[in-house]
Amino acid sequence: MSTHDTADSEANPPATPFHDLDSYVALPRVSSLTLSPDGSSLVVGVSSLNADATTYLTSLWEVDPSGGHAARRLTRGLTGEGGAAFTADGDLLFVAKRPTEETGDDKAKPALWLLPAAGGEARQVATRPGGISGVHAARSADAVVVTADAMPSAADEESEQAIWDARSEQKVAAILHRDYPVRFWDHDLGPAAPRYFTAELGGADDEAELRDLTPDAGKHLIEAGADLAADGSAVVSSWSVPTGRGALRSQLVRIDVATGERSVLVDDLEADLDGPRISPDGRLVAYLRESITTPEQAPEVTLWVCGIDGSSPRRLAADWDRWPGQPVWLPDSSGLLMATDDDGRSPVFHLTLAGGLTRLTDDDAAYTGVVAAPDGSAAYALRSSYEFPSEVVRIDLTGEAAQRVQPLRGPVPRPVLPGTLREVETEAEDGTRVRSWLALPEGASADEPAPLLLWIHGGPLGSWNAWSWRWCPWILVAQGYAVLLPDPALSTGYGQDFIQRGWGAWGQAPFTDLMAATDAAVELPEIDGTRTAAMGGSFGGYMANWVAGHTDRFDAIVTHASLWGLDAFGGTTDAAFYWTREMTPEMAERNSPHRAVADIRTPVLVIHGDKDYRVPIGEGLRLWYDLLSSSGLPAAEDGSTVHRFLYFPDENHWVLTPQHAKVWYQVVAGFLAQHVRGEGEPQVPEVLG
């Protein structure tokens, strides 16, 4: 899959954007959604390639909630914008890093900016020496609360700026830790840590003075979820607390904005509490409770509500066998909206405080970013599926379901696909229903069946139900493959028992479910069951490794950011305490793919990024050496091997930069073409043309 120069592309345009990697990475991507307090303006983020096509920059666009006028671009910063939020007066706040004469490019930090509702240029309204990462704005008051990293030893902004400058000028990157965690996904934690700061913006043009609400936060607010009351009086936030032996759990706290006084709102010794949302009338807090796992018991996620003072916590919809998504209050505080994984989709549900449950959307899509109109007549959301990427829609909360969802005039049209999507269902060995999405290339038929690529999702607690720019099956469909996207045991959206089937037994029900889904797919006349491959990332990479050691039915295996030796993984990942709750030494011994390395007789493409802290690079390095030294297809005496290792020194758990994404798909497509289709070994250039 090579790129084309401009002249060739203009003379022979690709059939779809998925037939050409330059066209694919250039597709704009819609993300995030926020609504003004009066309901007159929706703002979304749109990520597009920069001028030299080496990174994505996000700009903010306005979408008309009535659908009357086309979307219009609001921001044009050279480094992009994010974290949009509306003030009570309708001004738009956002976070952006814009160099000034004082800071220059090297020292510029993300700051808080304001775009006036009345028009005019955006202005900077708040800064912190370590930058600002997020903002919450009160819906009916001038108060804002921002999240910003702060140095623990700094007494004020001046001393903190001196610390940041000294570390930068002296090239000091060392961090002395005294607690856990020390890193997260792809970045190191410390010495600075997040805190909440508050300010009243008012009408002045001067920058607002930020006041520290959590000077003793330490690492308690890492990856915390929070909400600001409509009147700006209080923040409710998750707050992580140590439980000994390197473990953490999260409680909910209430922080008084006027005084900074913090009190524990809800604490549950057997669960993590997160995702708080304060009701518009300020009386209640809705939140998610995730039970702390054991080696025998999978997590259970449930929705709860309590008083703003933490009183009378109670579970909502106790008989509902689904994991609730992030709750969103209706404007009259009578109930909640949420998008929830369900049978390969993620529809929007309405839940009353009395426990009444109604499904509002009935299409094959997944919804995110749900917001409610101030009059309660409608909601807005981003909608996607494997047939289209995220688009902005309006959900009528009063009419019939068949006409309930209407697309709005968003900033990005749907791309043309190179095939069609259908569902495949079968039964597992134990009689459990297993379903999958199947993406078929144009022209696949009984006369010209397509080779099959089994693509296994990560998580493992997740579902193939929404468009993914990172894991896009249509690029391989454009190459002629049928791509199977199954939801095996441990997948969400099928009930608690379906998750429990695979808990602590990764190599059992998840594996047999995947094989059952593959069996069902190859029985279709459009599928060539003699040419097949399996691929996955993260937990999907783990399963690809397990598949490689437990069946020879596939012609090639692609394993990205994968777990290989469970005997070592648990203590090296970024949240070891979570994984070791399930991954006992006995579980690791039973379910570790490395134990079957001698039985691997299928060519394997290993892919790993060095900045991956969730599945550390040691997993990829150990897998690569084991394949060369101990697999059923070891390296020859001259060092040659059928296996390949695609290594990214500066990528993380995903591969996010545009040019590296092109390399990823080029190498994967070439490896599959060689071993599934019998084509020659591809020659991938060191630098893409």
Side-chain angles (χ1 to χ4, degrees), residues 338-518:
M338 71 194 72
T340 297
D341 287 358
D342 183 60
D343 202 43
R345 290 91 171 151
S346 189
V348 178
F349 291 86
H350 171 221
L351 179 63
T352 68
L353 293 181
L357 186 69
T358 304
R359 177 170 172 163
L360 298 179
T361 60
D362 60 359
D363 52 11
D364 292 336
Y367 291 77
T368 59
V370 180
V371 293
D375 63 0
S377 65
Y380 305 94
L382 297 179
R383 176 180 69 170
S384 76
S385 78
Y386 274 99
E387 292 188 300
F388 53 88
S390 291
E391 60 186 16
V392 187
V393 297
R394 181 182 188 274
I395 305 169
D396 184 359
L397 300 182
T398 62
E400 297 296 326
Q403 283 77 42
R404 184 165 278 154
V405 182
Q406 297 295 329
L408 296 178
R409 299 176 67 181
V412 180
R414 292 185 181 183
V416 177
L417 298 181
T420 57
L421 192 71
R422 69 166 67 169
E423 281 188 275
V424 178
E425 292 189 8
T426 189
E427 283 191 0
E429 289 182 348
D430 61 2
T432 302
R433 170 178 171 265
V434 178
R435 60 158 303 285
S436 312
W437 293 111
L438 177 64
L440 283 168
E442 294 289 351
S445 66
D447 294 330
E448 296 185 25
L452 180 71
L453 174 59
L454 167 66
W455 202 331
I456 311 164
H457 72 64
L461 304 174
S463 170
W464 284 129
N465 59 25
W467 183 277
S468 171
W469 290 105
R470 180 62 203 95
W471 312 115
C472 185
W474 297 108
I475 294 177
L476 280 307
V477 172
Q479 298 293 301
Y481 296 91
V483 180
L484 183 68
L485 305 166
D487 277 352
L490 291 172
S491 297
T492 54
Y494 305 92
Q496 190 67 27
D497 288 345
F498 197 81
I499 296 169
Q500 188 64 45
R501 289 174 63 238
W503 190 257
W506 292 3
Q508 298 176 42
F511 171 67
T512 55
D513 284 1
L514 290 170
M515 295 304 98
T518 303

Side-chain angles (χ1 to χ4, degrees), residues 21 26 53 90-91 103 123 142 146 174 308 316 348 410 456 466 519 618 630 649 688:
L21 286 174
D91 298 328
T103 63
R123 63 182 178 88
D142 289 336
V146 303
I308 190 64
L316 299 181
V348 178
I456 311 164
D519 291 340
S630 306
L688 293 176

Side-chain angles (χ1 to χ4, degrees), residues 7-316:
D8 287 343
S9 297
E10 292 177 355
N12 301 290
T16 75
F18 306 94
H19 285 85
D20 174 75
L21 286 174
D22 286 321
S23 299
Y24 173 72
V25 298
L27 289 172
R29 294 123 191 251
V30 176
S31 64
S32 74
L33 181 69
T34 188
L35 178 67
S36 62
D38 64 1
S40 65
S41 177
L42 281 164
V43 169
V44 298
V46 179
S47 297
S48 304
L49 282 179
N50 66 346
D52 59 6
T54 58
T55 192
Y56 290 102
L57 299 179
T58 300
S59 58
L60 301 179
W61 289 66
E62 182 182 53
V63 175
D64 181 3
S66 70
H69 63 71
R72 67 184 184 98
R73 187 170 179 173
L74 299 176
T75 62
R76 297 180 181 275
L78 296 179
T79 58
E81 298 84 22
F86 280 99
T87 69
D89 294 330
D91 298 328
L92 181 64
L93 299 170
F94 59 88
V95 175
K97 183 171 70 173
R98 297 184 176 181
T100 64
E101 291 183 3
E102 291 76 16
T103 63
D105 291 338
D106 294 338
K107 292 186 177 181
K109 299 286 187 179
L112 184 64
W113 291 73
L114 182 148
L115 183 65
E121 294 296 321
R123 63 182 178 88
Q124 185 172 288
V125 294
T127 59
R128 284 289 305 170
I132 291 173
S133 57
V135 59
H136 295 273
R139 304 292 280 181
S140 59
D142 289 336
V144 298
V145 170
V146 303
T147 304
D149 280 357
M151 290 290 185
S153 63
D156 50 35
E157 281 199 35
E158 184 178 0
S159 62
E160 182 167 359
Q161 186 65 61
I163 296 172
W164 284 101
D165 290 345
R167 286 180 66 87
S168 174
E169 293 165 3
Q170 298 174 29
K171 310 299 182 186
V172 173
I175 304 167
L176 178 62
H177 291 282
R178 64 177 184 180
D179 52 14
Y180 195 82
V182 300
R183 54 188 190 172
F184 193 78
W185 281 114
D186 63 350
H187 59 277
D188 295 305
L189 302 176
R195 298 182 193 173
Y196 295 143
F197 297 83
T198 185
E200 292 186 4
L201 298 180
D205 290 337
D206 296 335
E207 285 195 16
E209 182 178 348
L210 294 175
R211 176 167 50 87
D212 194 346
L213 287 176
T214 55
D216 61 339
K219 293 182 179 179
H220 295 290
L221 292 177
I222 292 172
E223 298 301 314
D227 194 25
L228 177 62
D231 63 2
S233 62
V235 175
V236 175
S237 173
S238 57
W239 185 272
S240 66
V241 292
T243 59
R245 299 181 181 271
L248 301 169
R249 63 177 176 83
S250 57
Q251 56 187 201
L252 293 184
V253 300
R254 181 186 184 276
I255 303 168
D256 186 277
V257 172
T259 66
E261 180 181 352
R262 184 176 70 250
S263 58
V264 176
L265 194 69
V266 186
D267 195 14
D268 187 332
L269 299 179
E270 298 180 351
D272 287 308
L273 310 177
D274 202 0
R277 291 294 181 268
I278 304 171
S279 62
D281 63 11
R283 297 186 306 108
L284 302 171
V285 178
Y287 60 94
L288 299 176
R289 178 189 187 274
E290 180 175 341
S291 61
I292 292 176
T293 61
T294 70
E296 296 78 27
Q297 188 61 46
E300 184 177 10
V301 180
T302 52
L303 178 65
W304 290 64
V305 66
C306 69
I308 190 64
D309 59 355
S311 61
S312 306
R314 61 187 178 93
R315 181 179 174 182
L316 299 181

